[in-house]
């Protein structure tokens, strides 16, 4: 009797979790759409701001030179007086810095928009030949804020071939692994992302020096709803989802871990998926 009640309670809990997850993915999907729309809208003004800035920089050089030449025609005392009245020397020094800074800021915005666009194709499920490193980098940029107080990111990238995959879905896997790694680190850890390949596989590993996982839990972590996190922190679906994404890619996801030392998740994607898929 009480066993039955336990079962019912468990089921109810799972329904609640599933509902939460569903709501969250609904939100994510509409967020994705919104992000793609906003990115598209921002692209146009950013485009002309960027080209204006380049021209402005040329104009500034011209104008400062013109002022200098003209001031040479004046008696030196008068020229110095005018220059100091208008802060000429300071402006000449500061202008290029301001322009460079603005350019830098603008490129940062352009990068963010590109990442948002890459990332927001959440619903796309087409296999394409993709550069995995681009996916990792745009995922990293998306989670940079979450990671920066927790961990230093070390990248050891090989010279990878293109991979036949659904990029947005692999990004989802990288996102899960990076968030898990960060959540396993209490403070000031290191997350190492390594990539490599051989004849059959392209692989990506995400290693952390966080809490680690007990050996007898290493398989359970891939089960849906297995979580050791507090409500709101985790649903226990990240790794299950990641595994199903990799199955779709005829790939693998494996975990190695040592309690107290850290964990390493390895994602393997077949190099010749196109041919493998055709062969059935
Ligand atoms: N890098 C990691 N270090 C330590 N434990 C981990 C790590 N990644 C996953 N885990 C364990 O696996 C569980 C399941 O992970 P996941 O499926 O992503 O769900 P969630 O993160 O929502 O809990 C986590 O709750 C945690 O106990
Ligand atoms: Mg997770």
């Amino acid at each position: 009797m009480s066993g039955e009640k336990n079962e019912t309670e468990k089921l109810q809990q799972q329904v609640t979790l599933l509902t939460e997850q569903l709501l969250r993915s609904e939100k994510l999907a509409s967020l994705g759409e919104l992000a793609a729309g906003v990115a598209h809208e921002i692209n146009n003004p950013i485009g002309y701001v960027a080209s204006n800035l380049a021209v402005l920089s040329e104009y500034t050089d011209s104008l400062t030179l013109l002022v200098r030449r003209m001031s040479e025609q004046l008696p030196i005392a008068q020229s110095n007086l005018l220059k100091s009245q208008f802060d000429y020397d300071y402006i000449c020094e500061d202008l290029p810095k301001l322009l460079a800074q603005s350019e830098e800021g603008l490129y940062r915005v352009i990068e963010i928009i590109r990442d948002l666009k890459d990332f927001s194709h959440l619903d796309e499920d087409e296999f394409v030949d993709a550069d995995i490193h681009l996916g990792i980098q745009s995922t990293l940029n998306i989670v940079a804020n979450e990671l920066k107080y927790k961990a230093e990111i070390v990248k050891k990238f090989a010279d990878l071939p293109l991979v036949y995959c659904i990029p947005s879905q692999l990004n989802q896997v990288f996102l899960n692994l990076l968030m898990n790694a960060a959540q396993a680190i209490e403070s000031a850890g290191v997350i190492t992302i390594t990539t490599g390949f051989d004849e059959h596989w392209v692989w990506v590993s995400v290693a952390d020096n966080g809490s680690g996982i007990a050996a007898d839990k290493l398989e359970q972590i891939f089960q849906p709803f297995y979580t050791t996190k507090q409500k709101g922190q985790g649903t226990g679906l990240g790794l299950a989802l990641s595994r199903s994404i990799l199955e779709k890619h005829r790939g693998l996801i494996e975990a190695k871990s040592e309690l107290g030392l850290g964990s390493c998740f390895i994602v393997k994607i077949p190099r010749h998926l196109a041919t493998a898929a055709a062969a059935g």
Side-chain angles (χ1 to χ4, degrees), residues 67-129:
V67 172
R68 185 165 303 144
R69 290 279 146 78
M70 285 169 73
S71 72
E72 281 161 13
Q73 307 300 314
L74 295 174
I76 192 104
Q78 195 185 353
S79 146
N80 284 346
L81 183 68
L82 276 171
K83 278 183 179 167
S84 83
Q85 260 175 358
F86 287 94
D87 261 350
Y88 180 77
D89 290 334
Y90 178 74
I91 290 177
C92 283
E93 196 192 303
D94 206 31
L95 245 179
K97 282 189 210 156
L98 289 183
L99 282 169
Q101 245 178 36
S102 306
E103 227 166 65
E104 220 180 274
L106 196 64
Y107 283 111
R108 180 85 190 97
V109 174
I110 290 172
E111 246 173 44
I112 293 172
I113 291 174
R114 200 192 46 222
D115 290 336
L116 269 181
K117 271 182 154 173
D118 285 355
F119 204 78
S120 55
H121 299 299
L122 282 174
D123 50 341
E124 96 186 351
D125 56 358
E126 258 180 65
F127 276 89
V128 289
D129 283 317

Side-chain angles (χ1 to χ4, degrees), residues 180 184 208 211-213 221 226-229 234-236 238-239 263 265:
N180 281 349
D208 65 70
S211 63
I213 304 160
I221 58 173
Y226 176 85
T227 182
T228 53
K229 291 166 196 169
T235 57
L239 287 174
S263 313
F265 285 79

Side-chain angles (χ1 to χ4, degrees), residues 26-40 116 119-123:
E26 281 284 306
K27 268 188 209 154
L28 254 184
S30 40
L31 196 69
E33 248 167 62
L34 191 72
V38 171
H40 183 81
L116 269 181
F119 204 78
S120 55
H121 299 299
L122 282 174
D123 50 341

Side-chain angles (χ1 to χ4, degrees), residues 54-258:
V55 179
L56 270 177
S57 164
E58 276 172 37
Y59 286 180
T60 332
D61 289 346
S62 256
L63 281 176
T64 35
L65 200 62
L66 175 71
V67 172
R68 185 165 303 144
R69 290 279 146 78
M70 285 169 73
S71 72
E72 281 161 13
Q73 307 300 314
L74 295 174
I76 192 104
Q78 195 185 353
S79 146
N80 284 346
L81 183 68
L82 276 171
K83 278 183 179 167
S84 83
Q85 260 175 358
F86 287 94
D87 261 350
Y88 180 77
D89 290 334
Y90 178 74
I91 290 177
C92 283
E93 196 192 303
D94 206 31
L95 245 179
K97 282 189 210 156
L98 289 183
L99 282 169
Q101 245 178 36
S102 306
E103 227 166 65
E104 220 180 274
L106 196 64
Y107 283 111
R108 180 85 190 97
V109 174
I110 290 172
E111 246 173 44
I112 293 172
I113 291 174
R114 200 192 46 222
D115 290 336
L116 269 181
K117 271 182 154 173
D118 285 355
F119 204 78
S120 55
H121 299 299
L122 282 174
D123 50 341
E124 96 186 351
D125 56 358
E126 258 180 65
F127 276 89
V128 289
D129 283 317
D131 180 344
I132 297 263
H133 288 153
L134 284 184
I136 297 174
Q137 195 50 56
S138 70
T139 309
L140 270 175
N141 293 345
I142 298 269
V143 292
N145 248 326
E146 307 272 336
L147 302 186
K148 74 176 172 207
Y149 301 109
K150 281 289 194 72
E152 178 200 346
I153 306 289
V154 177
K155 289 182 279 187
K156 295 180 181 167
F157 286 180
D159 200 4
L160 288 189
L162 294 181
V163 180
Y164 193 66
C165 65
I166 308 173
S168 61
Q169 296 201 351
L170 286 188
N171 289 353
Q172 199 69 50
V173 173
F174 302 140
L175 179 74
N176 285 330
L177 296 182
L178 288 167
M179 290 302 288
N180 281 349
Q183 285 168 333
I185 290 168
E186 205 156 317
S187 66
V190 181
I191 300 175
T192 311
I193 308 170
T194 314
T195 65
F197 64 100
D198 60 22
E199 198 189 333
H200 304 291
W201 303 101
V202 168
W203 54 265
V204 177
S205 75
V206 177
D208 65 70
N209 58 356
S211 63
I213 304 160
D216 62 329
K217 297 284 187 296
L218 262 189
E219 260 315 301
Q220 282 181 41
I221 58 173
F222 291 99
Q223 284 168 9
F225 305 114
Y226 176 85
T227 182
T228 53
K229 291 166 196 169
Q230 285 176 351
K231 228 176 154 206
Q233 280 256 29
T235 57
L237 287 168
L239 287 174
L241 183 72
S242 301
R243 183 162 267 182
S244 76
I245 288 174
L246 278 146
E247 273 165 13
K248 202 162 162 183
H249 285 78
R250 295 174 183 243
L252 294 166
I253 178 166
E254 291 164 353
K256 291 187 248 170
S257 187
E258 215 157 319

